[in-house]
Amino acid sequence: MSPTVRIRGGRVVDPVNGIDGIADLGVRDGRIVALAPHEPVGQEIDATGCVVMAGGIDMHSHIGGGKINLARLLLPEDHRRGFAPAALRDNPLELPSCGDCAPGTLATGYRYAEMGYTAAFEPAMSAGNARHAHLEMGDVPILDHGAYVMLGNDELFLRLLHDGAPPELLRDYVGHVVHATKAMGVKVVNPGGISAFKFNQRRLDVDERHVHWEITPRQILGALARALHELGLAHPLHIHASNLGIPGNIDSTLATIDALDGFRGHLTHVQFHAYGQDGPKKFSSAALRLAEKVNATPTVSIDVGQILFGQTVTASGDTMRQHANAGHGSPRKWIGADLECDAGCGVVPFRYREQSYVNALQWAIGLELFLLVDDPWRIVLTTDHPNGAPFTSYPHLIRLLMDKPFRDEQLARLHPDVAAQSALKDIRRELSLSEIAILTRGAPARLLGLADRGQLGAGAAADIAVYRPAANAEAMFSTPAWVFKDGVPVVRDGRVIATPVGGTHFATPGFDPGIEATITRHTERHMRDVPRHRVIGRDELCACCNGGRLLPAACFPQVA
Amino acid sequence: MSLALPTTAADQDDADTRTDAWTCPFCALLCESWRPVATDPPGLQGSDCPRALAGLAALGPSDTASPRALVDGAPADLVTALDAAADRLRAWRQPLFGGLGTDIAGARALYRLAARCGAVCDHADGEWLSQATRAVQDRGQFITTLGELRSRATLLVFVGTPGTARYPELFRRAGLGEPESPCRGLVFLGSAPPAALPAGVEVDVVAGSGDLAADLQQLAALVDPQRLRGADPALAALAERLLAAPYAVLVWEGATLPSESALVIEMLHRTVGTLNRSTRAASFALGGNDGAHGVQQTFTWLSGLPLRTRVSASGLVHEPRSHGSDRLLAGGAVDGLLWISSFDPARLPPTTTLPHIVLGPPAMRQALADAGQLGDTVWVAVATPGVNAAGHLFRIDGPVVLPVQAWRDEGLPGVARVLSGLADRLEASS
């Protein structure tokens, strides 16, 4: 039993519980507890003048699995400084690990915790790569984690849909895959497009037909969203829409929202999907159109996928679009893969440049989205690490959102046409601390169904970040005074002081186990002699995840 | 409205309950459809794969009587052997961790120990692994997996490899000759086809010039629309077939390529890249045995850098050439060797005058004695994943990790346990 801790006198910013004021916070046995004012405690931390928030939650970050490891392999230059080794922290608690845009898993955990984050979720786990993804996430110290399994490009789902399978069968299939891969959600990437690329189709819009399976992304989206609704997963369908990065793709993005037919959906890295084709360069911001649609559609949530300038690497399941974009890569090299009749993978290094009109406009579009969406509970702060920028740039991004003069200063450095034309210069909104707490804690917790995370009410998990206030929000959010993970102090003054193993979130849907026979029958041709989706048991998951706690989440089935 | 669905066993440990599941660990194909039989020598039920039979035979029957550890040739218990090994690790200024035939749990434990010792780590197949990695680091690649290859590939080109010599089950795993296989043609470029070929598939040989690098250079040029004068007609015809194939796969094998093969591999990747502009193609590499893929992947995710990296608190130094085991040993750059071969008792450490710590299956003890390698050596018997220990391995194609299962129990420690024991001792004394 750990000693009771009182974090005294901080400004507690806990929008889930409607709190923004000076209060004490009690911590006992990994949980937040209500303490009487003079109740003796084992340790008292003076947080006078500090801001106290729940631990940060990154709901879309490529922290573990095949793609990001290929990115590491592709970019040794990310892990050294010219001819010299990368500098490591002088901290005997940290095992050697380095990298900026594709850091090792160990560095990933250390750097996230140093910013006050206590959970991150891998958004693109392919079913065949599930064990690998869990193994890597298990080697991300401190953070809790979980993954969304990719469906909607797997040959079996497409075949079932093509054959007119009833919704119950699709539901059971989705449930089985979530169960077998120990996923906590389902993501669809370029619906049908990854599969279509395997048949040499180079483009697939929402109402175009897959050249082989003769079904449309609209059908795939509708069927998956319904299946997840019926299974009762907390997190709605996580959607990487069609036509990523293409000027004019706003029409596809709006059509994607309509294709959900009223079911819930979470559109991810929408910055890459909010492009018009107006103006002399045929590339313009469609942030306002998307924000208006999101504001008018309460069943839809988004995360932004903000880009920030500098070197990064893009890692995506969207083979079709990554192949098309590989020529823009910097340095000029890339990795692609067709995966096991399930999925795909494309890794393209990229450098976002301030003087590039396109990149500067992408930067502005992301910020416009943050500032134009009304309901902070339906928008989450992400850079789609590492696709828009490494997660370590979050404090900088938070300052851009909270500080209009700083934002204007940055805008003035960019390609002059963007600076002159962007609607951003006229947007005066500055997000409050409470809104930042929603975008980085409350909203992702709610969207993932993590009832006891992202908040500081009595009984919640004691994942806590204590920040020293500063006029510069970037400085404030870079080096918290204290970070607690499940009640254990893990960071002190921006330095890691303990490295517990994080827990693994996964969903536990019910489904008809008879689906396994259907799966075997339909995959016989391409996977004979190989058990499909060999189920990851709980003991095995625990071994993969380095003995971290298993955090199963109940599902609440619904009828469509 | 809430609804009760038919339920699964979701609240229990919900592992695959088939008790006969076995994943063969003896090559990176990780076949899953047959089983070992505990005869002497051990046999197989459902396959006659010579590689698996040889792997089982080399390990021999279950052995619980022989010494489990030796210190300089003298039998010792595990604790004594670990104490002696830890003493030696402490004394070494620049150790090499070689062999690295282990599973992912072993690789994780190895990393912690390497960081403590400032060791350079290189797999026994490190040379081709490093060449393949360099090709990727220079230009990238487009790869495919077994399931894709089996269901999609219309043309397979074996580049400098007969395919089945080291991977006897490869054609079966690729579904070649089965009625539903889309594959209509096999081409062997710069290698002779094996004797046993699948029925119903056209087989061609492109002999080439004998210089695989030159032939691939031609092929890479020929699949580009630009013309190449004076081309080998057979290579030109192959280029036409590749361009016409809906999904061609170039199969290659690191172990059969000439030395300094990174450029050869890069040309192969370039050929695939050019084909993907107009049709679909991918490459498929044969390799990754003895845990090589898993150790490479694990080191890469933990640290950010692949093998042939020196791991220490002062920094990570990745040197794909100068950190090769052979070069380090030949140049006298290391003063101690920790060697791990948990799958293959015959894969012994290179002959050197350096002190050794060796982890291998019980059958390795005799092999070391026969080779005169027991002096100045701590040897510890370890379990073999997929035989007497469970574990995880990466399959040949890269993205797929499979569990391997124990089917006999000799009470042997796994590599991870031994290495953690060493790391604990070093940490306790620091």
Side-chain angles (χ1 to χ4, degrees):
Chain A
M1 187 179 288
S2 53
T4 303
V5 177
R6 177 184 287 114
I7 300 171
R8 181 168 46 80
R11 174 181 165 191
V12 175
V13 180
D14 179 18
V16 171
N17 294 300
I19 294 168
D20 183 352
I22 307 296
D24 292 353
L25 210 58
V27 175
R28 184 184 296 139
D29 298 332
R31 296 272 146 182
I32 308 283
V33 291
L35 295 177
H38 300 292
E39 189 172 333
V41 292
Q43 186 183 9
E44 186 150 300
I45 290 171
D46 182 4
T48 309
C50 293
V51 171
V52 182
M53 291 187 180
I57 298 171
D58 193 344
M59 71 177 286
H60 189 110
S61 176
H62 297 272
I63 53 167
K67 277 186 286 298
I68 196 65
N69 220 30
L70 286 172
R72 295 181 187 112
L73 202 63
L74 182 66
L75 288 170
E77 51 271 57
D78 187 48
H79 303 89
R80 53 165 78 118
R81 291 290 165 273
F83 293 107
L88 301 178
R89 293 286 203 282
D90 178 22
N91 185 345
L93 269 180
E94 293 189 19
L95 280 167
S97 185
C98 62
D100 293 324
C101 59
T105 54
L106 297 164
T108 300
Y110 305 144
R111 303 293 88 81
Y112 259 116
E114 281 172 2
M115 301 188 307
Y117 272 69
T118 50
F121 295 88
E122 164 60 46
M125 173 171 78
S126 82
N129 190 238
R131 284 179 171 80
H132 177 180
H134 286 300
L135 282 157
E136 273 202 33
M137 289 188 290
D139 281 335
V140 174
I142 306 172
L143 304 187
D144 289 338
H145 44 81
Y148 321 139
V149 66
M150 291 190 288
L151 286 172
N153 280 288
D154 47 321
E155 299 295 311
L156 179 52
F157 186 82
L158 301 182
R159 175 193 290 261
L160 291 172
L161 207 54
H162 166 268
D163 292 348
E168 311 84 73
L169 194 68
L170 297 172
R171 174 201 69 198
D172 289 337
Y173 171 66
V174 173
H176 175 76
V177 177
V178 169
H179 159 72
T181 60
K182 291 295 178 281
M184 75 171 305
V186 173
K187 183 190 191 193
V188 62
V189 176
N190 184 356
I194 301 169
S195 163
F197 181 66
K198 296 172 184 174
F199 295 91
N200 204 24
Q201 194 169 356
R202 301 296 165 129
R203 218 187 135 122
L204 188 65
D205 209 343
V206 179
D207 289 306
E208 274 181 276
R209 287 190 180 279
H210 185 294
V211 69
H212 180 77
W213 293 112
E214 300 179 319
I215 51 173
T216 64
R218 184 181 293 275
Q219 289 172 278
I220 296 167
L221 287 159
L224 279 173
R226 176 176 176 160
L228 290 183
H229 173 80
E230 293 181 354
L231 289 166
L233 262 69
H235 188 46
L237 182 60
H238 196 93
I239 304 161
H240 158 143
S242 310
N243 287 335
L244 179 141
I246 296 179
N249 63 10
I250 183 64
D251 293 328
S252 309
T253 309
L254 300 181
T256 297
I257 293 175
D258 290 336
L260 294 172
D261 252 346
F263 290 113
R264 293 169 68 217
H266 177 88
L267 274 74
T268 189
H269 44 67
V270 287
Q271 176 279 129
F272 292 106
H273 302 271
Y275 303 153
Q277 46 189 342
D278 302 329
K281 295 191 166 65
K282 302 285 179 214
F283 182 66
S284 57
S285 169
L288 182 59
R289 285 180 68 193
L290 181 57
E292 284 174 348
K293 182 76 170 180
V294 171
N295 287 340
T297 316
T299 49
V300 161
S301 55
I302 59 172
D303 66 80
V304 171
Q306 176 68 33
I307 74 134
L308 294 162
F309 300 104
Q311 179 69 52
T312 195
V313 58
T314 64
S316 169
D318 193 344
T319 335
M320 178 188 264
R321 295 304 312 146
Q322 290 292 75
H323 180 264
N325 289 327
H328 302 298
S330 175
R332 187 77 173 270
K333 53 184 177 181
W334 84 288
I335 294 177
D338 295 324
L339 300 178
E340 215 53 4
C341 303
D342 276 334
C345 159
V347 178
V348 181
F350 202 87
R351 175 179 285 278
Y352 294 104
R353 293 179 301 114
E354 291 178 335
Q355 291 307 310
S356 151
Y357 175 80
V358 170
N359 299 163
L361 193 63
Q362 289 179 299
W363 178 87
I365 290 168
L367 294 176
E368 287 167 24
L369 285 162
F370 274 115
L371 299 166
L372 291 170
V373 169
D374 297 334
D375 179 1
W377 294 97
R378 291 192 288 122
I379 179 166
V380 174
L381 185 140
T382 67
T383 56
D384 183 16
H385 164 79
N387 290 316
F391 65 83
T392 43
S393 53
Y394 285 178
H396 177 78
L397 174 54
I398 290 172
R399 185 176 182 198
L400 286 169
L401 297 173
M402 295 185 75
D403 186 341
K404 165 73 172 161
F406 178 67
R407 197 159 69 220
D408 287 344
E409 215 175 279
Q410 303 306 305
L411 185 62
R413 296 156 54 114
L414 307 187
H415 188 287
D417 291 354
V418 171
Q421 291 165 18
S422 171
L424 190 61
K425 65 179 186 306
D426 301 319
I427 302 177
R428 312 219 66 80
R429 185 175 175 194
E430 292 180 331
L431 298 191
S432 66
L433 271 180
S434 181
E435 285 172 316
I436 292 295
I438 297 173
L439 264 60
T440 56
R441 278 93 172 149
R446 182 178 287 186
L447 292 167
L448 293 168
L450 309 176
D452 65 346
R453 310 270 161 177
Q455 56 129 329
L456 297 171
D463 294 351
I464 306 165
V466 181
Y467 297 103
R468 287 199 182 87
N472 177 343
E474 183 171 347
M476 170 176 164
F477 283 97
S478 296
T479 46
W482 289 90
V483 181
F484 290 80
K485 176 76 190 68
D486 290 312
V488 176
V490 290
V491 170
R492 176 84 204 268
D493 294 327
R495 183 179 168 90
V496 171
I497 56 168
T499 58
V501 179
T504 305
H505 293 279
F506 59 98
T508 56
F511 56 90
D512 180 352
I515 189 67
E516 288 182 42
T518 308
I519 294 170
T520 304
R521 192 168 65 251
H522 281 293
T523 51
E524 182 76 340
R525 174 171 161 255
H526 55 83
M527 297 297 290
R528 182 163 316 157
D529 301 337
V530 177
R532 281 302 273 164
H533 306 136
R534 179 178 264 190
V535 175
I536 302 174
R538 293 193 182 194
D539 289 346
E540 190 186 357
L541 182 66
C542 190
C544 286
C545 295
N546 250 328
R549 284 198 303 156
L550 300 187
L551 303 167
C555 295
F556 301 94
Q558 307 286 320
V559 254
Chain B
M1 180 181 149
S2 197
L3 173 77
L5 283 183
T7 55
T8 56
D11 293 331
Q12 302 130 35
D13 179 43
D14 43 11
D16 193 335
T17 48
R18 294 172 311 122
T19 51
D20 61 342
W22 187 62
T23 309
C24 175
F26 293 111
C27 85
L29 280 173
L30 300 185
C31 293
E32 297 174 88
S33 60
W34 21 278
R35 283 191 55 72
V37 185
T39 48
D40 183 14
L44 287 177
Q45 187 180 59
S47 171
D48 57 359
C49 174
R51 185 161 184 162
L53 285 167
L56 287 167
L59 291 172
S62 186
D63 172 8
T64 52
S66 308
R68 291 302 173 84
L70 303 171
V71 175
D72 302 329
D77 59 38
L78 182 61
V79 171
T80 308
L82 289 182
D83 288 343
D87 285 343
R88 287 171 204 206
L89 278 174
R90 270 185 216 105
W92 296 346
R93 286 161 301 162
Q94 179 53 69
L96 167 65
F97 290 1
L100 310 192
T102 185
D103 61 357
I104 294 169
R108 281 171 156 175
L110 189 73
Y111 189 76
R112 178 178 158 217
L113 186 65
R116 173 63 52 182
C117 300
V120 175
C121 299
D122 185 29
H123 192 272
D125 292 330
E127 186 52 34
W128 87 260
L129 203 60
S130 161
Q131 296 287 339
T133 304
R134 284 173 61 201
V136 171
Q137 290 173 342
D138 284 345
R139 294 297 291 268
Q141 63 181 1
F142 198 107
I143 58 167
T144 196
T145 64
L146 266 177
E148 296 284 352
L149 184 149
R150 181 177 181 122
S151 60
R152 223 174 291 288
T154 55
L155 175 65
L156 293 182
V157 181
F158 289 84
V159 181
T161 173
T164 49
R166 256 171 285 258
Y167 301 90
E169 292 278 331
L170 179 65
F171 290 167
R172 190 186 64 76
R173 296 295 303 276
L176 301 181
E178 290 182 12
E180 290 187 303
S181 168
C183 187
R184 294 292 165 262
L186 305 184
V187 177
F188 292 85
L189 168 59
S191 70
L197 286 161
V201 187
E202 188 188 326
V203 177
D204 290 288
V205 177
V206 176
S209 64
D211 179 346
L212 199 59
D215 295 342
L216 275 170
Q217 196 169 17
Q218 273 199 53
L219 190 65
L222 283 163
V223 296
D224 208 292
Q226 296 157 16
R227 295 189 181 273
L228 177 69
R229 285 193 295 173
D232 176 341
L235 285 169
L238 175 57
E240 290 299 320
R241 286 183 72 182
L242 286 166
L243 284 162
Y247 197 104
V249 177
L250 272 58
V251 182
W252 60 282
E253 182 177 350
T256 63
L257 292 180
S259 64
E260 297 299 327
S261 58
L263 287 174
V264 177
I265 300 165
E266 193 179 309
M267 271 183 282
L268 188 145
H269 291 328
R270 190 189 308 168
T271 305
V272 169
T274 307
L275 289 168
N276 272 325
R277 286 187 211 150
S278 58
T279 182
R280 286 309 324 278
S283 65
F284 188 94
L286 302 177
N289 307 312
D290 279 335
H293 277 336
V295 180
Q296 172 88 329
Q297 291 268 3
T298 307
F299 269 61
T300 304
W301 81 56
L302 287 168
S303 72
L305 285 161
L307 290 170
R308 297 199 165 179
T309 295
R310 181 174 187 273
V311 186
S312 82
S314 62
L316 292 152
V317 183
H318 176 52
E319 295 286 356
R321 294 179 69 84
S322 59
H323 283 169
S325 302
D326 290 349
R327 193 176 285 246
L328 289 170
L329 292 169
V334 289
D335 59 353
L337 172 63
L338 168 69
W339 181 262
I340 301 168
S341 178
S342 67
F343 299 97
D344 184 354
R347 203 158 199 183
L348 301 183
T351 310
T352 70
T353 54
L354 294 178
H356 288 47
I357 299 164
V358 180
L359 275 52
M364 185 186 268
R365 184 180 53 88
Q366 192 57 48
L368 284 168
D370 293 347
Q373 288 198 13
L374 286 177
D376 204 357
T377 293
V378 177
W379 172 76
V380 178
V382 290
T384 302
V387 175
N388 38 30
H392 285 98
L393 294 173
F394 273 78
R395 205 174 66 184
I396 194 163
D397 36 12
V400 179
V401 173
L402 290 173
V404 295
Q405 305 78 16
W407 54 277
R408 69 187 202 200
D409 181 7
E410 289 147 271
L412 289 160
V415 168
R417 194 178 130 203
V418 172
L419 296 180
S420 298
L422 292 174
D424 290 345
R425 283 166 170 77
L426 295 188
E427 283 168 13
S429 64
S430 66

